[in-house]
Every structure is written in structure tokens, then in C-alpha cells.
Amino acid sequence: MDKLGLIILAGGLSTRMGQPKALLPWINGESLISHALRKGLDADIQDILISIGDDEQLGLAIQTHIIDTLSNDEKNKVSIVRDSVGRCGPLGGLYSTLAVGTSSAYAVMAVDMPFMEMDLYYDWLYQVNHNDWNAIVPYGESGKSEPMAGIYRPHIASLIQSILVSEDMSLHHALDVIGHVESIDACDYSWELSNINRFEDYQWARALAENEFRRVPLISVVASKRKTGKTTVVTRLVSELQKIGLSADAVAIAGPTETAIRIRTKEQSNLYEISQFMPVDIVILESRSQGIAPIIEVTQEGHTEELISDNMDRVATIEIGKLDQDVPELVRHIQEMMRSLNGRRYC
């Protein structure tokens, strides 16, 4: 099998996000760029090229951040590559990295595709049983090719160079020009191939990542003050989730129609740990503090300036007077998150 290197495309302008995607916090103390880099290092990729675009300030910030996260041995496996041709988008990044690449083939991972896994690239290599290819490109359930998650041979850099002076510098156009492109059916990997373009996409992607390795998925409901309406929101949310088939039963101590079991312990129990043994599909945790990510914050009308949760952890803000407007959209996102969690756990 080809000696596989990794190209991480991290130089996008992030115009829809409003801030550089590569440096956005992810989970477990990682950023999106360090998360992608860790996947390559954990897969023992010896040749990792990080494309940082042609923005000098952004490139310096990414470079400094990456260096701080690497051991000396890991630094020897990683090279940071600035675009040799400016303002050419991802095609420029692909060209600049392939032009200096020494591996026989490179998997390309966009930094805003945080659920992409290295194992998939190896699977796709095995599916192509000949060596007469320039690129291996997956296509998703929409039937559209996903060149930002493809595998490319370095010798096509010369072909890409001619495209960089044309009017159409898209990766899709490049595939038509370079030829010998193998298509891979990746319809079962829609979440892996999804990318994060808007801040809302990022928030819910983080919510999925936070919950992926929990035994029971969890969402916190918080508010900056008492009597804001947290319990009203939780009750309504549980009711709506049950309507779509999710078990999210609310539990109260000594309620009129249900009973909680009280267990004497030597020290205060951790509410999160308790939640992980509840026989439900999802836990809605009502908290007086800032809660556990992902977070829904409840506000009174016109009081959004008093939010206590971090906007990186907060997936929704619910105004207590607009439940009919806000809750259905929230339920839709939770349902999508649960589908994705179930798909990733049992695929």
C-alpha cells in the first residue's frame, strides 16, 4: 500500500464563521487544528503537512499554537507550508503542499471536518485495487464529490499549477483536469464528511463531540438568576423529546407521582456521574451554576447581556416568552445530534 502522508488544510478565510476556524476550541483542551493534527500523529503518520494559506498573521498564530502542542519527536513529523500562490483557496493550499510532498500519496483533511477519521482513508486505499490513479475522492449521500477529504498523489501538482491561472480554481474543476480520479461511495459517512461553516454548526458539532463518549448524552439548562424559568423549559423540552420517541424522563425527589431513591454516601455525589447510570436516552440537567457542556441558557425578555455560559459551550439561548418559537428548533437539533450519535456508535 502507498506510503500515506497527511495534508491538513487550515488556511481558509473563515468568512462565514467570522473567526479563524483552525484556532477554535474543540474538546479535551484541543483546538480544531490540534485535534486534526493529533489524528495524524496517533495514526503514526510520519509526514504531515499543514497548509496555513498566505495570511502571514494567521499563519504565525497557527504555527505558534501548533509548536506549543508538540513534543520534539512530533515536530520532526510536521511541516508548516504557506501558499506559494496567494488567494487561491483550498486548491492553492493543495498545490503548495503537494509540490513539496515526499510521500507517495497524501490524505487531505480539512480542519473544519472534525469527525473525519484516518481509518477511512486506509479503507479507501484498499478499495482501489490498482495503482493507476491520481486521486481517490469520496462522494456523500447527496451524490456530490468531497475533494476536501480525498487522497492525492504529489505528481499532480504540475497539473494543478495550470488551473491556478484559470477562471475556475475550484477543487471540483481540478478533478476534471487531473483525470484518473477514483470515486468512493461514502454515503454512510455523512457526518464524517460534514464541515463546519457557521458558528451554529460549530456549537452543535462540539455538542456531539462532548456527548460522543458519554454513556448517556447530556444537555444542561442554566440561567443567571433564580425564577427565570429553567424548570418550565426543562418540562417543555422533556415533553417534546418524548413526542419524538426519546426517553428523557424528569426525576424529582418525593414528587406526587414518582419517587427518587436516596442513597447514603460518604461524600457528596457527582451529579454528572449519577446521570451516566440513568436508564434514559438523554439527560436534561437543570443547573444553578454554569452547567456541563453543551448548554442551553434561559433568559427573560431583553436580558441576554446577563448570560453566564460561555458562547463556545452554549448551543441555544431560550427566551422564556418565546418557547413556542425556540423549543421546536432546539428539539430538531437535539434529534439530529442523537441520530448522529447512534450512527457513530453502531456503525
Side-chain angles (χ1 to χ4, degrees):
M1 188 171 64
D2 290 276
K3 178 188 174 186
L4 193 63
L6 174 64
I7 293 172
I8 302 174
L9 296 177
L13 296 177
S14 304
T15 52
R16 284 176 285 181
M17 183 66 70
Q19 55 188 301
K21 295 178 184 178
L23 299 177
L24 283 171
W26 194 234
I27 64 171
N28 298 326
E30 292 184 325
S31 63
L32 282 178
I33 182 63
S34 61
H35 175 65
L37 182 57
R38 184 58 51 191
K39 290 182 180 181
L41 292 171
D42 286 349
D44 199 28
I45 301 295
Q46 300 295 310
D47 180 16
I48 302 176
L49 306 177
I50 301 178
S51 167
I52 58 174
D54 63 344
D55 186 309
E56 185 174 355
Q57 185 175 0
L58 173 60
L60 180 61
I62 292 176
Q63 182 171 339
T64 302
H65 173 73
I66 290 171
I67 289 174
D68 289 342
T69 66
L70 298 179
S71 67
N72 288 332
D73 181 57
E74 290 170 338
K75 289 175 184 177
N76 294 330
K77 301 177 182 178
V78 179
S79 299
I80 296 174
V81 181
R82 289 191 62 184
D83 284 2
S84 56
V85 181
R87 301 295 173 177
C88 291
L91 187 63
L94 181 61
Y95 164 72
S96 300
T97 47
L98 289 178
V100 299
T102 57
S103 294
S104 57
Y106 283 89
V108 170
M109 181 184 294
V111 76
D112 63 356
M113 300 175 75
F115 299 105
M116 193 62 192
E117 300 293 343
M118 289 302 304
D119 287 349
L120 282 180
Y121 296 109
Y122 289 111
D123 287 345
W124 298 340
L125 277 174
Y126 278 120
Q127 289 182 44
V128 178
N129 56 10
H130 62 85
N131 287 319
D132 187 24
W133 56 269
N134 287 333
I136 301 173
V137 179
Y139 63 88
E141 57 186 357
S142 66
K144 183 180 178 182
S145 62
E146 299 289 349
M148 298 280 276
I151 304 172
Y152 300 88
R153 293 200 188 276
H155 68 250
I156 67 170
S158 58
L159 297 174
I160 295 176
Q161 187 176 26
S162 64
I163 305 171
L164 293 177
V165 296
S166 67
E167 293 184 1
D168 188 348
M169 292 186 293
S170 68
L171 279 172
H172 287 92
H173 174 58
L175 296 180
D176 294 332
V177 173
I178 65 176
H180 295 279
V181 176
E182 292 289 331
S183 296
I184 296 291
D185 182 352
C187 293
D188 293 333
Y189 300 99
S190 58
W191 195 255
E192 285 80 358
L193 294 174
S194 64
N195 59 347
I196 299 169
N197 286 317
R198 301 171 301 155
F199 193 70
E200 181 185 37
D201 301 331
Y202 160 72
Q203 290 172 307
W204 280 103
R206 273 195 72 191
L208 174 58
E210 292 280 3
N211 278 314
E212 187 170 7
F213 299 105
R214 290 172 178 164
R215 182 178 179 274
V216 182
L218 181 149
I219 292 180
S220 297
V221 177
V222 307
S224 61
K225 298 177 181 178
R226 297 179 66 237
K227 307 294 184 182
T228 304
K230 295 194 303 293
T231 302
T232 300
V233 170
V234 170
T235 302
R236 174 71 178 274
L237 188 55
V238 167
S239 175
E240 295 300 320
L241 291 175
Q242 288 175 332
K243 288 179 183 178
I244 62 172
L246 290 176
S247 172
D249 297 330
V251 178
I253 297 176
T257 60
E258 53 191 357
T259 304
I261 299 174
R262 186 172 67 179
I263 302 174
R264 187 178 297 278
T265 58
K266 293 181 180 180
E267 56 187 17
Q268 182 176 346
S269 298
N270 182 296
L271 189 56
Y272 167 74
E273 292 177 356
I274 293 173
S275 75
Q276 296 304 287
F277 292 94
M278 292 182 176
V280 294
D281 295 320
I282 184 170
V283 167
I284 309 298
L285 175 64
E286 182 181 332
S287 173
R288 293 181 182 178
S289 64
Q290 294 185 14
I292 300 169
I295 293 170
I296 300 165
E297 184 151 358
V298 182
T299 70
Q300 297 284 350
E301 184 177 0
H303 288 262
T304 55
E305 74 280 357
E306 300 176 1
L307 297 177
I308 60 171
S309 57
D310 190 310
N311 70 332
M312 299 294 181
D313 297 330
R314 185 174 59 249
V315 294
T317 302
I318 301 292
E319 193 171 302
I320 195 63
K322 297 181 179 178
L323 292 186
D324 289 342
Q325 173 183 320
D326 294 341
V327 170
E329 181 69 6
L330 178 58
V331 169
R332 182 183 69 81
H333 279 295
I334 293 175
Q335 185 177 27
E336 183 177 338
M337 180 186 74
M338 295 298 292
R339 283 200 196 106
S340 297
L341 281 172
N342 290 334
R344 288 175 66 78
R345 285 173 175 171
Y346 300 113
C347 64

